[in-house]
Amino acid sequence: MRFYIASGLENIDRVKTVIGTLTEKGHEITHDWTLHGDVRGEGEETMSSVANAEAFAVISSDCVILMLPGGRGTHTELGLALASRSNKRIILWSETGDEFGGGEKTCGFYHHSAIERLCCSFDQLLDYVKEL
């Protein structure tokens, strides 16, 4: 399975753990943004290159896992995943579920019928992805 992990920069260590878990099972990551991290201050050429690579990575994945909380990039990647959903599984994870209950932290697209929402501990998420 080809996969992509989308998340906010504050989750970088957890994203690396999920990437390691999936690659150990023989799955292939389409783009590992944790290797370059935040590129907002790196100039237009770098930002453009990364944006193109990440967009292609989402579209060409069989599975996109979005780990909340996420920033603007994560939500853009969610949109790309939904737009290309016919060829992929979309999993949206929250540790608390606060983002799924409405209010300020939610996004209407979190409730799209193509999205599989998970609310569980990080350890339970790791157990879940081991079965993908």
Side-chain angles (χ1 to χ4, degrees), residues 5 69 71 99 122 125:
I5 309 287
E99 300 90 349
F122 182 68
L125 172 64

Side-chain angles (χ1 to χ4, degrees), residues 4 6-11 33 38-41 47 51 54-55 58 66-81 105 107 109-110:
Y4 182 81
S7 191
L9 291 164
E10 66 270 24
N11 289 330
W33 60 265
D38 189 353
V39 296
R40 290 177 288 188
M47 288 188 295
E54 291 180 0
V58 171
L66 300 108
M67 298 171 59
L68 297 175
R72 291 187 303 259
T74 306
H75 288 87
T76 301
E77 292 158 342
L78 172 59
L80 287 164
K105 290 185 178 184
C107 170
F109 287 99
Y110 293 171

Side-chain angles (χ1 to χ4, degrees), residues 31 33 35-55:
H31 178 79
W33 60 265
L35 299 176
H36 58 70
D38 189 353
V39 296
R40 290 177 288 188
E42 301 297 321
E44 286 187 36
E45 188 174 317
T46 297
M47 288 188 295
S48 176
S49 175
V50 168
N52 285 310
E54 291 180 0

Side-chain angles (χ1 to χ4, degrees), residues 26-101:
H27 301 296
E28 176 189 352
I29 187 161
T30 55
H31 178 79
D32 185 352
W33 60 265
T34 68
L35 299 176
H36 58 70
D38 189 353
V39 296
R40 290 177 288 188
E42 301 297 321
E44 286 187 36
E45 188 174 317
T46 297
M47 288 188 295
S48 176
S49 175
V50 168
N52 285 310
E54 291 180 0
F56 181 76
V58 171
I59 292 167
S60 63
S61 293
D62 302 311
C63 180
V64 175
I65 301 171
L66 300 108
M67 298 171 59
L68 297 175
R72 291 187 303 259
T74 306
H75 288 87
T76 301
E77 292 158 342
L78 172 59
L80 287 164
L82 286 169
S84 61
R85 71 185 177 273
S86 64
N87 71 333
K88 72 181 51 34
R89 185 174 184 182
I90 305 169
I91 300 168
L92 180 63
W93 172 76
S94 170
E95 193 161 32
T96 64
D98 291 345
E99 300 90 349
F100 302 150

